[in-house]
């Protein structure tokens, strides 16, 4: 065990940090983020030593390929393929390798050997954060993960610590820069989804395989983490309802503009008050926001999170949610916090899950909707559609109808496009209505179904 392990405080003299034993830092991964972490540690070495009360010494960098040239900020003599041996001799482990395994095994091994952990691994935290929290408690070490949710934006610490004395009701966030860039490009230029995605890939905002982003999986992992922190309950990735943006069309973007709204991929976690008590919801989907809502103006690849709390009221967090340097900034903040705890012989915040609130199924939620249909243009169609919605307890707010070009061929009926906005109704009621539309010959296609948020 290191001399700086919990239970063995080291006197801190910020004016003479060199007199304190150095803290041994192991870095797992040397990609874009890992390289920036190493650069910041090197460039800010003296400042970090004074802020912490001890120097940071990088003792090794675990990588899969020792032969690859990683630039001046990744010393070749510190590279190793033996990540297990590296974490067993560290005081702090910074994990930026990503993925579930071997990251999970390595972090558990690190904590078992007395190391505190800083990770940006949202997928691991969302899927199996419980095992990491429990290991941190058992071994008396810290687990920090500010960079896992919104890159450089300070969000985890405000929710976990600054708002610990408040009661959070709702978190509404744009937490994926790739999808926000795509939707913003579609709105600004009229591009199709495929065209906007190609632009995002060309600029480096989207991976060659963008599935995790455009299908909403990345945002869902972050929603899981935020819900767990906000509501003091374990919310797993499998608990989060997830829809991506691949079906959002230029027609949807135009319809949003007509209504004075924008379309954003939102991560929503909220407390739902009911007569029998309260439940919580975590979900991700593209939704229509009023243009005057603070999140509507978030452009390009930026992230923003809107929090509603009882005492604090409405809070907005905005900034770069990805990228090497921004993410490394959040990681270094965690490194300083974890290092300070070790120098002083204490531990930071622990997992809070005392509430264990029940999840509310999506079908029990109430939402307003926008439904786009292609229908036969004949008398009675609108009445038929309105009757179906009304029969399921759904009230119409607005209707927009547009005649489409009449198909060629004698006897073919003219077609129309109908866009319907509704008042709030049960998700199950909308599902039932859509089932009826799918079964009738009057409705030729259900082009899109989007929720309306922020009113």
């Amino acid at each position: 065990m290191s001399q700086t392990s919990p239970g063995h405080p080291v006197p801190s003299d910020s004016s003479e940090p060199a007199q304190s034993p150095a803290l041994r830092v192991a870095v797992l991964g040397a990609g874009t983020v890992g390289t920036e972490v190493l650069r910041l540690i090197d460039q800010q070495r003296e400042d970090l030593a004074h802020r912490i009360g001890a120097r940071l010494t990088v003792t090794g960098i675990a990588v899969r390929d020792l032969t690859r040239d990683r630039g001046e900020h990744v010393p070749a003599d510190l590279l190793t393929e033996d990540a297990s041996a590296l974490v067993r001799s560290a005081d702090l482990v910074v994990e930026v390798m990503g993925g579930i395994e071997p990251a999970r095994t390595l972090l558990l091994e690190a904590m078992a050997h007395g190391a505190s952990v800083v990770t940006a691994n949202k997928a691991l935290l969302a899927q199996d954060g419980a095992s990491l929290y429990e290991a941190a408690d058992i071994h008396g070490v810290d687990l920090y993960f500010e960079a896992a949710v919104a890159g450089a934006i300070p969000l985890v610490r405000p929710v976990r610590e600054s708002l610990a004395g408040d009661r959070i009701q709702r978190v509404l966030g744009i937490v994926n820069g790739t999808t926000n860039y795509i939707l913003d490009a579609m709105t600004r230029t009229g591009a199709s989804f495929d065209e906007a995605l190609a632009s995002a890939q060309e600029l480096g905002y989207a991976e060659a395989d963008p599935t995790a982003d455009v299908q909403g999986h990345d945002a869902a992992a972050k929603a899981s983490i935020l819900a767990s922190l906000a509501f003091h309950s374990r919310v797993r990735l499998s608990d989060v309802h997830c829809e991506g943006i691949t079906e959002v069309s230029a027609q949807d973007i135009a319809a949003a503009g007509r209504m004075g709204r924008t379309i954003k991929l939102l991560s929503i976690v909220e407390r739902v008050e009911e007569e029998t008590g309260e439940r919580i919801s975590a979900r991700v989907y593209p939704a229509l926001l009023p243009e005057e809502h603070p999140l509507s103006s978030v452009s390009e690849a930026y992230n923003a999170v809107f929090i509603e709390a009882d005492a604090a009221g409405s809070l907005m967090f905005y900034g770069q949610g990805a990228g090497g340097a921004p993410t490394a900034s959040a990681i270094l903040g965690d490194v300083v916090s974890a290092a300070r705890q070790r120098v002083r012989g204490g531990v930071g915040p622990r997992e809070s899950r005392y509430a264990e609130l029940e999840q509310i199924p999506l079908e029990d939620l109430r939402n307003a909707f926008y439904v786009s249909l292609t229908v036969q243009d004949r008398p009675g169609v609108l009445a038929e559609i309105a009757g179906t919605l009304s029969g399921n307890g759904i009230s119409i707010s607005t209707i927009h109808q547009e005649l489409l070009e009449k198909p060629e061929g004698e006897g073919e009926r003219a077609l129309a496009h109908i866009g319907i906005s509704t008042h709030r109704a049960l998700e199950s009621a909308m599902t039932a209505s859509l089932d009826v539309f799918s079964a009738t010959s009057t409705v030729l296609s259900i082009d899109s179904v989007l929720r309306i948020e922020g009113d």
Side-chain angles (χ1 to χ4, degrees):
M1 180 70 70
S2 164
Q3 295 180 54
T4 57
S5 61
H8 297 80
V10 174
S12 174
D13 181 351
S14 60
S15 64
E16 295 290 345
Q19 294 181 2
S20 298
L23 294 176
R24 299 165 297 181
V25 180
V27 179
L28 306 181
T32 301
V33 175
T35 299
E36 284 298 308
V37 168
L38 292 163
R39 180 182 68 82
L40 291 178
I41 290 176
D42 182 54
Q43 290 186 352
Q44 302 184 47
R45 187 176 304 278
E46 293 302 319
D47 283 340
L48 292 173
H50 285 287
R51 293 168 192 170
I52 293 166
R55 294 189 178 278
L56 299 179
T57 298
V58 177
T59 55
I61 306 160
V63 296
R64 294 185 178 90
D65 181 6
L66 294 176
T67 63
R68 178 180 162 192
D69 181 9
R70 299 175 185 273
E72 61 177 314
H73 300 299
V74 185
D77 60 330
L78 291 181
L79 298 179
T80 179
E81 292 178 326
D82 192 349
S84 179
L86 180 62
V87 302
R88 289 198 303 268
S89 61
D91 298 308
L92 298 173
V93 173
V94 177
E95 186 270 308
V96 285
M97 64 195 307
I100 304 302
E101 290 292 354
R104 172 170 46 197
T105 297
L106 289 170
L107 295 188
L108 293 176
E109 188 172 10
M111 288 189 278
H113 283 79
S116 290
V117 164
V118 173
T119 178
N121 197 329
K122 54 191 170 288
L124 176 56
L125 288 163
Q127 182 171 309
D128 194 23
S131 65
L132 299 182
Y133 286 125
E134 290 166 0
D137 283 341
I138 290 170
H139 302 294
V141 296
D142 282 321
L143 172 65
Y144 283 94
F145 48 90
E146 183 66 66
V149 176
I153 303 172
L155 186 61
V156 169
R157 190 170 280 105
V159 172
R160 184 160 69 163
E161 299 178 44
S162 303
L163 294 173
D166 209 334
R167 180 179 169 88
I168 295 175
Q169 293 291 346
R170 196 166 194 248
V171 181
L172 190 74
I174 297 169
V175 295
N176 182 271
T178 299
T179 51
N180 197 61
Y181 176 86
I182 291 171
L183 292 173
D184 183 53
M186 292 175 70
T187 300
R188 287 185 294 103
T189 69
S192 68
F193 169 81
D194 289 337
E195 290 168 338
L197 172 58
S199 174
Q201 289 173 321
E202 183 178 344
L203 293 170
Y205 292 134
E207 302 288 344
D209 180 1
T211 303
D213 294 320
V214 299
Q215 293 291 355
H217 305 318
D218 174 83
K222 295 169 182 176
S224 164
I225 296 169
L226 286 174
S228 299
L229 294 173
F231 305 129
H232 307 279
S233 304
R234 278 187 181 166
V235 179
R236 297 166 180 81
L237 181 58
S238 58
D239 297 323
V240 181
H241 175 80
C242 181
E243 298 175 27
I245 66 167
T246 55
E247 300 303 316
V248 176
S249 65
Q251 186 181 58
D252 294 327
I253 298 292
R258 286 195 302 270
M259 293 185 285
R261 297 179 181 273
T262 59
I263 298 177
K264 298 292 186 181
L265 181 70
L266 299 179
S267 291
I268 304 170
V269 305
E270 69 178 335
R271 196 185 298 267
V272 182
E273 304 286 349
E274 300 175 307
E275 290 184 3
T276 56
E278 62 183 20
R279 292 188 286 178
I280 56 176
S281 168
R283 56 198 191 269
V284 171
Y285 46 59
L288 292 153
L289 280 173
E291 288 180 346
E292 61 271 17
H293 193 281
L295 293 179
S296 288
S297 61
V298 179
S299 61
E300 298 189 334
Y302 280 82
N303 282 195
V305 177
F306 194 76
I307 297 179
E308 300 168 12
D310 283 354
S314 298
L315 304 169
M316 180 82 162
F317 299 82
Y318 171 85
Q320 296 189 58
T327 305
S329 170
I331 290 171
L332 259 292
D334 280 349
V335 167
V336 170
S337 295
R340 284 172 172 169
Q341 296 295 344
R342 294 186 75 83
V343 167
R344 290 165 175 76
V347 292
R350 320 313 287 167
E351 180 190 21
S352 175
R353 60 181 182 93
Y354 70 90
E356 291 294 7
L357 295 174
E358 180 185 349
Q359 307 281 316
I360 183 170
L362 184 72
E363 58 265 24
D364 291 347
L365 288 174
R366 301 183 69 85
N367 273 313
F369 297 89
Y370 170 75
V371 181
S372 173
L373 307 171
T374 298
V375 301
Q376 294 184 19
D377 181 35
R378 61 171 177 77
V381 169
L382 279 177
E384 183 180 332
I385 290 170
T388 296
L389 293 171
S390 177
N392 284 303
I394 301 175
S395 172
I396 293 175
S397 172
T398 63
I399 294 179
H400 174 82
Q401 182 173 348
E402 179 182 351
L403 290 178
L404 301 178
E405 186 175 342
K406 185 174 181 180
E408 295 181 1
E410 188 176 348
E412 293 288 346
R413 291 188 179 274
L415 306 179
H417 172 262
I418 295 178
I420 301 171
S421 298
T422 77
H423 295 290
R424 288 168 63 85
L426 284 170
E427 288 268 353
S428 58
M430 178 54 69
T431 299
S433 298
L434 295 174
D435 288 343
V436 173
F437 294 154
S438 296
T440 179
S441 60
T442 301
V443 177
L444 302 181
S445 66
I446 301 171
D447 301 320
S448 63
V449 181
L450 295 167
R451 280 90 173 176
I452 299 172
E453 297 284 350
D455 288 337

